[in-house]
Amino acid sequence: NAGVTQTPKFRVLKTGQSMTLLCAQDMNHEYMYWYRQDPGMGLRLIHYSVGEGTTAKGEVPDGYNVSRLKKQNFLLGLESAAPSQTSVYFCASSDHPSRVDTGELFFGEGSRLTVL
Amino acid sequence: GDSVTQMEGPVTLSEEAFLTINCTYTATGYPSLFWYVQYPGEGLQLLLKATKADDKGSNKGFEATYRKETTSFHLEKGSVQVSDSAVYFCALRQYSSASKIIFGSGTRLSIRP
C-alpha cells in the first residue's frame, strides 16, 4: 500500500541552486496538490493539478514550477532556491470531489528542504 | 473568502482527560468538513469527516459534529491517551473548485502520562 510517495525526504540546498521534488501516487487519483508547511501557518497551497497535462497556481506559487506529464506523478521544481523556501513540503492527491465522494486528501510523508 | 479558524496551541492535557479543540469556519454554500491528524515525522491523515449539516464524524474515540447554525466543527474525545499526541488540523473543502481546500493553522496536542 504505497499511497503517496515523495522523494527525496530531506535535502539541503545552497541559495541559487535548483532541485525537483517528485510525488508519485498509485491510487489513480485525478487531483494532485503541493503544499508547504511552516510553523504557525498551517498548510499553504503552492500549485495543483486536476488531471494529466494540467496545472494551476495556488496560494503561494512564486518561485516554484510544476509539471504533470503522467497522471501518477506531480513534480515540484525550484529553479533558484531562496532561504524563504526552507520548509516542509507535502504532496497530496484525491479523487474527483463530488457530492458522493468525501473529497479526502491523501498525503505523502513530507520532504524537508533547507536552503542555506 | 472561505476560512478556517482553530484554537491556538499547544494544548497539554493529562492522560484520560477530556479534549475539545475548537474549529469555526466561514464559507459560502455547503462545504464538507474534515479533521486531519499529523503524528511526529509523518504526513497528514484523515481522522474524521462530515459532509452535511448535523452529520457527526467519528473515529478512534474522536467525534465532531457539523453545526451550520454556529459554523463550527469542534473536535472532542472523552479520554485522551499519550498516543493521541499530535498536531490536529481542521479543514473544509468546497466542491465548486478543486483548489478550495482550506486548512486551519493546526493545534499541537501533548498528553502527559
Side-chain angles (χ1 to χ4, degrees), chain A residues 33 37 90 97 99 102-103 105, chain B residues 34 36 38 49 93 95 98:
Chain A
Y33 304 82
Q37 183 180 35
F90 286 98
R99 295 310 298 170
T102 63
L105 289 179
Chain B
F34 304 83
Y36 286 86
Q38 183 181 28
K49 59 189 181 288
R93 183 164 195 175
Y95 292 95

Side-chain angles (χ1 to χ4, degrees), chain B:
Chain B
D2 296 354
S3 66
V4 173
T5 303
Q6 60 181 104
M7 66 187 288
E8 296 273 337
V11 174
T12 302
L13 296 173
S14 296
E15 204 165 21
E16 299 184 1
F18 184 86
L19 168 71
T20 300
I21 300 179
N22 290 337
C23 172
T24 57
Y25 68 92
T26 301
T28 57
Y30 303 94
S32 289
L33 301 176
F34 304 83
W35 277 101
Y36 286 86
V37 59
Q38 183 181 28
Y39 298 106
E42 300 183 8
L44 281 72
Q45 57 185 273
L46 181 68
L47 179 60
L48 54 82
K49 59 189 181 288
T51 58
K52 61 183 186 296
D54 300 324
D55 267 2
K56 178 185 283 188
S58 61
N59 186 26
K60 298 182 181 180
F62 291 89
E63 293 183 339
T65 301
Y66 189 164
R67 302 282 189 203
K68 192 157 181 68
E69 64 275 15
T70 55
T71 62
S72 65
F73 193 53
H74 303 322
L75 182 68
E76 297 182 336
K77 186 173 185 182
S79 177
V80 292
Q81 306 300 313
V82 172
S83 57
D84 294 326
S85 298
V87 181
Y88 292 81
F89 292 90
C90 185
L92 69 81
R93 183 164 195 175
Q94 294 277 20
Y95 292 95
S96 59
S97 168
S99 66
K100 288 271 181 126
I101 308 168
I102 311 297
F103 286 88
S105 57
T107 301
R108 182 175 299 279
L109 173 67
S110 295
I111 307 300
R112 294 188 300 252

Side-chain angles (χ1 to χ4, degrees), chain A residues 31-114:
Chain A
Y31 290 14
M32 296 188 74
Y33 304 82
W34 275 109
Y35 290 91
R36 60 178 289 174
Q37 183 180 35
D38 301 294
M41 300 190 75
L43 291 167
R44 292 184 291 171
L45 181 63
I46 305 171
H47 286 280
Y48 65 100
S49 168
V50 299
E52 182 178 316
T54 73
T55 64
K57 294 180 180 180
E59 182 184 356
V60 289
D62 293 344
Y64 305 95
N65 56 76
V66 288
S67 64
R68 183 107 180 261
L69 299 179
K70 295 182 178 180
K71 186 177 183 179
Q72 64 267 35
N73 295 338
F74 195 30
L75 278 63
L76 177 71
L78 286 72
E79 290 186 348
S80 180
S84 61
Q85 294 178 303
T86 293
S87 187
V88 180
Y89 293 84
F90 286 98
C91 177
S93 71
S94 79
D95 212 337
H96 190 292
S98 68
R99 295 310 298 170
V100 176
D101 187 73
T102 63
E104 174 187 354
L105 289 179
F106 293 82
F107 285 85
E109 293 184 344
S111 298
R112 183 175 295 275
L113 175 65
T114 301

